[in-house]
Amino acid sequence: MKKHLLWLFLLITVFVVAQNKPTYSIGVLAESGSPKLAPLFDQLTNEVQAVVGEDATIVFPEQGLLFSGFNLETAEQNYNQLIADDNIDLILAFGVINNQIISQRATHAKPTILFGAVNRDFNNIDLNKKSSGIENFTYLIASESFREDLKKFKELTNFQNLGVAMETPLIDILPVRQTFDKIAAELQVDYRLIPFTSTSDISNNLDNIDAVYMAGGFFLSREENRRLAQAFIDKKLPSFSMNGPDDVEDGMYATTRSSDDLDQFFRRIALTVEAYVSGAKLSELDVYIEYTPRLTLNFNTADAIDIPIKYSLVNETDFVGNPRNVRAEKRYNLLNVIEETLERNLSLQSNQKDVDLTEQDVRTAWSNYLPNLTASGSGTYVDPDLAEISNGQNPEFSTAGAITLNQTLYSEAASANITIQKKLQKAQEENFNASQLDAILDATTAYFNILILKANTSIQLRNLNLTQTNMKIAEQNFEAGQSGKSDMLRFRSEMAQNQQSLIEAVNQLEQGFIILNQVLNNPLDTQIDVEEVELDQGVFERYNYNELRKFLDDPKLREPFIGFLTEEAFRNAPELKSLDYNIEAVERNIRLSGSGRLVPTVALQGSYNSVFNRSGAGSTVPPNLGFGLVDNSYNASLSLSLPIFNQNTNNINKQIATIQRDQLEINKDNTELAIDANVRNGVLNLINQVSNIELSGISEETAIEALELTRSLYSNGAVNIVQLLDAQNNYLNAQLARVNAVYNFLISSLELERSLGYYFLLKSEVENDAFRQRFFEYMNTRN
């Protein structure tokens, strides 16, 4: 009975307390009804209601949300309207215009909290005061400063002529010129104000400046910010925003606002409301909010405007963007890379010259069957005494000429040489084909390595940001007494390692671009980028990944599949074809040194001789001899030659050629063995990568879930830092494995195709269908 009475008493008490729970209606004064304000207003109301909790009922009536439209008269009317409204108990005022109205009042009829309007560089509030000291009034001063922003901006870019963009009404109301005159003098730079009411006012006034500072623009939409950022990039102008990292994600160059600043700001407003609801006096509440500035930089924008990132800033910088080369002069897909490699690769050009040289060797061999025509001339002087008794046959002075023709009609050596040189030419062509296959593999591997390195850079960047988030948790735990300072020091050490990993990832990506430029015979400083690839999409749509996975996954199909691929590799391999041609050339040489030596060489010779002039002693025939001199004559002959004994050279040459043939056949066997091994290893690598594709996705999902759970437990002091770091590193490795799985699969596929001497990407659908049909026929012959 007593137990029931106790429960009844507790229920009555709760009911009475609930009945006495106060309700506060809060009015809000803002500058603009921008769509950007709606989610921020929801965040603010949720934060206030969550912090106040059960102490009071907090409502934000719709009629209590008023906008000034950057007009002083409207702002004063709005404030007076809320003061006169008996349904409003507390006023939250935001913005410069509302600040001008409210901060100048000596008394406040209703409790008023002014926030988000006071920049340290110009205001009419004493920054040394810890509280307002004014009844029913407090304000929140953030540690934002134009001066500090521009100091950091100058350090990053060394600008000299700055454009400062700010809403026109604010320039008309605030002492903007006086403030920036003083800052510009300190920094020893020139500046120009850019008043705006729309983004076109900014984008149309960018001449004669070398940098832009967005001192306004909080109410611009994300799309407007993106258009502005692109306009700055097009003009090669670095931009610095005072509004936060969202602007940098949209393409602005940098900011020193942290993504946590807004959360901290709303939490402080909520705590101020909670303190007032709990009975604290607004005049006595602390007014200062200390933000921790953190540089956020968009490295895509930095790259686009040609401002190198200083590695000395990595320790204090958050990076946004992706590893896409925005300055790329050429952007390649995989087929472009293959085509340009085949056209421009220097190694292939050199190998093509080897083919050209063998063509000349063939022409040289054929030239042995071309006629050899020789013209000669001579002038002769003979001793006069000797000439006198020569009866005109050897005159003292004479000139003569001759034309000689030699024509080989048949030569076993010449015919054999033609055959040999043709075979060697075809062998060289097959070597060139092998070089093309190797170059394609090198180019595609370089392509996929860039994609892997781009993914690695993005993941290392996210991991660095994750470490920064975890370090903040460690700092909060230290402040709450849940952990020691060692956790913070451990995370600082981890962050330094992450920063080094990011720097290495960026440089490795640059090295990847250098390698691809080298393969493509581009100048090594050419700015290039490559397009992403997806399995079963784009150029790989015909890969039929699921069909391939079926062959690899079934042990009964795997061995026949390997057997078929090996046969295809033997049939296609240019290395084997080259060896076959070399063997045929050597066998022809063996026949030449064997039975070919018994075949005679048949040749035709002919000449035409003419004496042009005779003079001096003995130039005429004595009359008593009864004959004259013949000045012109010709002759022709057919020759047949057969070597009987040639110093044993033929036998030696035959033995040399036989040894060469044996060596080539050994090389062929070795090459076949290597191809068989490459095919089998390639299939096993593919099996590994198929498994990796399947399992890496599961691993990443599990890793992120484990990380979130471990981080939550660490925040509550339930696990130690080692467990959190293990979870983070596990997630890092899982991300790398998942992202790289497809690329590694495609690299392994192309390596297998190189072993086959058959790239599916470069073949037509008809050829690939014929390849499948041969496999089915192969399978039928085994059954």
Side-chain angles (χ1 to χ4, degrees):
M1 182 66 181
K2 290 180 179 180
K3 186 176 180 179
H4 290 125
L5 289 174
L6 178 60
W7 278 107
L8 180 62
F9 174 76
L10 290 174
L11 289 171
I12 292 172
T13 301
V14 171
F15 177 77
V16 171
V17 171
Q19 290 295 314
N20 294 329
K21 183 178 180 180
T23 298
Y24 289 87
S25 293
I26 300 179
V28 179
L29 298 176
E31 307 279 48
S32 169
S34 165
K36 187 176 181 178
L37 186 66
L40 298 178
F41 182 71
D42 290 340
Q43 184 179 352
L44 172 63
T45 58
N46 292 335
E47 186 72 21
V48 171
Q49 290 169 344
V51 170
V52 173
E54 297 300 322
D55 294 342
T57 299
I58 302 297
V59 294
F60 290 85
E62 186 176 346
Q63 68 275 14
L65 178 60
L66 303 176
F67 303 104
S68 69
F70 296 102
N71 184 281
L72 285 172
E73 293 182 1
T74 303
E76 187 164 12
Q77 291 173 4
N78 290 344
Y79 188 48
N80 291 331
Q81 179 180 332
L82 292 183
I83 289 175
D85 190 341
D86 294 334
N87 294 320
I88 299 298
D89 302 304
L90 178 66
I91 299 173
L92 301 181
F94 172 81
V96 174
I97 303 298
N98 289 316
N99 173 58
Q100 290 295 104
I101 298 299
I102 296 172
S103 62
Q104 293 178 8
R105 296 202 175 192
T107 61
H108 297 271
K110 278 188 179 180
T112 302
I113 302 173
L114 178 65
F115 61 94
V118 183
N119 187 289
R120 282 164 39 187
D121 297 316
F122 55 79
N123 57 74
N124 53 5
I125 296 176
D126 186 356
L127 295 178
N128 294 319
K129 296 172 63 175
K130 293 185 177 180
S131 60
S132 71
I134 301 174
E135 189 69 23
N136 273 346
F137 178 67
T138 191
Y139 51 85
L140 298 177
I141 303 175
S143 56
E144 298 173 348
S145 168
F146 297 138
R147 178 180 284 100
E148 297 304 318
D149 279 355
L150 294 180
K151 282 183 179 179
K152 177 59 69 175
F153 196 19
K154 183 95 165 38
E155 179 186 352
L156 291 171
T157 64
N158 195 30
F159 66 81
Q160 296 298 318
N161 296 285
L162 180 69
V164 179
M166 185 179 287
E167 288 85 352
T168 301
L170 303 186
I171 294 177
D172 296 337
I173 295 171
L174 297 172
V176 175
R177 293 187 184 278
Q178 299 92 313
T179 301
F180 280 96
D181 283 346
K182 185 176 180 180
I183 297 173
E186 291 177 8
L187 297 178
Q188 297 181 342
V189 298
D190 296 323
Y191 83 96
R192 174 165 63 84
L193 288 177
I194 306 177
F196 72 89
T197 55
S198 67
T199 56
S200 60
D201 295 333
I202 302 174
S203 57
N204 293 333
N205 288 280
L206 299 177
D207 296 331
N208 302 318
I209 59 174
D210 58 9
V212 181
Y213 179 52
M214 289 297 297
F218 179 81
F219 292 105
L220 294 177
S221 67
R222 297 293 294 267
E223 182 57 36
E224 288 174 319
N225 272 321
R226 291 188 187 102
R227 288 201 301 268
L228 267 183
Q230 189 58 51
F232 299 151
I233 291 172
D234 292 342
K235 291 279 189 177
K236 298 289 185 180
L237 295 174
S239 53
F240 199 100
S241 172
M242 66 167 294
N243 298 317
D246 282 352
D247 287 3
V248 179
E249 290 180 2
D250 290 336
M252 298 289 180
Y253 172 61
T255 185
T256 52
R257 304 294 176 268
S258 169
S259 57
D260 295 332
D261 287 356
L262 199 59
D263 294 337
Q264 183 180 352
F265 187 63
F266 286 155
R267 174 57 62 93
R268 183 61 181 277
I269 295 171
L271 290 172
T272 302
V273 173
E274 193 263 346
Y276 171 75
V277 168
S278 300
K281 294 182 179 180
L282 292 181
S283 60
E284 298 176 354
L285 296 180
D286 190 11
V287 299
Y288 199 74
I289 303 177
E290 182 64 50
Y291 293 145
T292 301
R294 180 79 183 176
L295 179 65
T296 301
L297 191 146
N298 189 313
F299 59 73
N300 290 134
T301 300
D303 192 32
I305 61 179
D306 298 330
I307 295 182
I309 296 174
K310 299 178 180 179
Y311 289 134
S312 59
L313 296 175
V314 170
N315 187 47
E316 57 186 64
T317 305
D318 295 333
F319 292 98
V320 299
N322 59 68
R324 181 174 59 90
N325 191 345
V326 295
R327 291 190 297 146
E329 303 167 31
K330 299 180 180 179
R331 201 171 302 277
Y332 292 99
N333 61 35
L334 189 58
L335 291 180
N336 295 149
V337 166
I338 294 174
E339 290 170 0
E340 286 211 14
T341 298
L342 295 178
E343 291 176 3
R344 307 187 59 211
N345 182 266
L346 290 178
S347 295
L348 288 182
Q349 292 180 32
S350 176
N351 291 335
Q352 179 62 55
K353 295 302 179 183
D354 289 334
V355 175
D356 296 341
L357 288 173
T358 58
E359 290 178 356
Q360 298 306 311
D361 290 338
V362 173
R363 294 182 64 187
T364 300
W366 273 111
S367 68
N368 289 322
Y369 277 117
L370 296 178
N372 183 11
L373 184 64
T374 304
S376 63
S378 64
T380 305
Y381 171 73
V382 177
D383 184 317
D385 294 335
L386 180 63
E388 187 67 34
I389 62 174
S390 69
N391 296 324
Q393 300 301 311
N394 291 307
E396 181 180 2
F397 299 100
S398 65
T399 57
I403 297 176
T404 303
L405 172 67
N406 290 295
Q407 172 68 59
T408 300
L409 299 179
Y410 180 79
S411 169
E412 180 68 7
S415 297
N417 190 37
I418 292 172
T419 302
I420 290 170
Q421 295 305 325
K422 284 182 177 180
K423 298 297 183 183
L424 293 178
Q425 180 195 7
K426 291 182 178 180
Q428 191 60 50
E429 288 175 351
E430 294 300 334
N431 290 337
F432 178 71
N433 292 338
S435 298
Q436 284 187 315
L437 295 175
D438 290 336
I440 291 171
L441 180 61
D442 290 342
T444 53
T445 300
Y447 186 98
F448 287 121
N449 281 338
I450 288 176
L451 292 178
I452 290 173
L453 292 170
K454 288 173 73 172
N456 180 48
T457 302
S458 295
I459 291 171
Q460 294 295 345
L461 177 59
R462 291 199 298 268
N463 188 56
L464 176 60
N465 293 334
L466 180 58
T467 300
Q468 291 167 350
T469 301
N470 288 340
M471 189 168 74
K472 291 176 183 177
I473 297 174
E475 290 172 348
Q476 293 169 359
N477 283 359
F478 174 69
E479 292 169 358
Q482 294 181 350
S483 65
K485 190 175 181 180
S486 61
D487 281 13
M488 288 193 303
L489 296 177
R490 177 68 184 275
F491 270 118
R492 287 177 186 171
S493 174
E494 187 73 15
M495 190 160 69
Q497 296 175 29
N498 294 160
Q499 289 161 350
Q500 180 61 31
S501 296
L502 177 60
I503 291 172
E504 291 176 357
V506 171
N507 288 331
Q508 287 170 356
L509 178 58
E510 289 299 318
Q511 290 171 337
F513 285 126
I514 290 172
I515 292 172
L516 185 57
N517 271 329
Q518 183 179 9
V519 172
L520 297 175
N521 190 23
N522 289 331
L524 296 185
D525 59 351
T526 303
Q527 296 293 326
I528 62 173
D529 202 1
V530 298
E531 296 180 3
E532 288 286 343
V533 297
E534 295 288 342
L535 200 60
D536 290 336
Q537 294 183 22
V539 295
F540 290 102
E541 187 174 357
R542 293 178 294 178
Y543 245 58
N544 203 340
Y545 164 72
N546 290 325
E547 183 180 34
L548 178 60
R549 183 177 60 178
K550 180 182 68 174
F551 293 142
L552 298 176
D553 191 49
D554 189 343
K556 293 182 179 179
L557 290 176
R558 188 185 306 158
E559 193 59 35
F561 185 57
I562 291 175
F564 168 72
L565 293 181
T566 302
E567 283 192 7
E568 286 290 311
F570 289 165
R571 189 166 66 89
N572 297 327
E575 295 87 353
L576 293 180
K577 293 178 181 178
S578 175
L579 287 170
D580 284 338
Y581 285 126
N582 276 288
I583 290 172
E584 290 175 9
V586 170
E587 288 178 342
R588 183 64 181 90
N589 200 15
I590 292 173
R591 292 198 301 273
L592 172 64
S593 300
S595 59
R597 65 183 176 177
L598 302 177
V599 179
T601 298
V602 181
L604 177 67
Q605 294 88 30
S607 65
Y608 181 83
N609 304 293
S610 177
V611 177
F612 302 137
N613 175 265
R614 292 183 178 88
S615 62
S619 59
T620 60
V621 179
N624 59 338
L625 294 181
F627 63 87
L629 296 176
V630 177
D631 291 334
N632 300 303
S633 64
Y634 64 88
N635 64 76
S637 65
L638 179 68
S639 65
L640 189 72
S641 62
L642 181 67
I644 303 300
F645 183 77
N646 192 20
Q647 301 174 333
N648 204 33
T649 302
N650 287 331
N651 288 331
I652 294 173
N653 289 339
K654 183 177 180 181
Q655 291 173 9
I656 291 173
T658 302
I659 294 172
Q660 290 175 336
R661 181 187 61 189
D662 294 342
Q663 182 184 40
L664 288 170
E665 288 177 346
I666 292 171
N667 290 341
K668 181 179 178 181
D669 292 340
N670 187 43
T671 302
E672 288 179 345
L673 190 63
I675 290 173
D676 192 3
N678 289 339
V679 169
R680 291 179 180 276
N681 288 330
V683 170
L684 292 175
N685 287 336
L686 275 183
I687 294 172
N688 291 338
Q689 299 308 327
V690 168
S691 174
N692 194 20
I693 290 174
E694 301 295 329
L695 298 178
S696 60
I698 299 173
S699 176
E700 184 184 25
E701 292 175 2
T702 305
I704 183 59
E705 186 176 349
L707 175 61
E708 294 296 336
L709 177 60
T710 305
R711 185 159 58 182
S712 176
L713 293 173
Y714 179 77
S715 299
N716 297 323
V719 298
N720 58 39
I721 187 174
V722 174
Q723 291 169 287
L724 179 57
L725 286 174
D726 285 345
Q728 181 178 337
N729 289 329
N730 186 44
Y731 178 51
L732 170 65
N733 293 329
Q735 288 181 94
L736 291 172
R738 184 195 63 80
V739 171
N740 296 340
V742 171
Y743 300 141
N744 287 328
F745 170 80
L746 294 175
I747 289 175
S748 297
S749 298
L750 290 167
E751 288 174 346
L752 177 58
E753 291 175 23
R754 169 60 189 94
S755 299
L756 296 178
Y758 185 100
Y759 285 111
F760 291 93
L761 283 175
L762 305 181
K763 302 297 182 180
S764 68
E765 189 66 29
V766 173
E767 290 173 308
N768 289 336
D769 286 341
F771 184 92
R772 295 188 190 93
Q773 186 60 37
R774 288 197 299 273
F775 172 67
F776 296 138
E777 292 173 358
Y778 177 86
M779 291 296 294
N780 289 334
T781 60
R782 292 177 58 91
N783 294 334

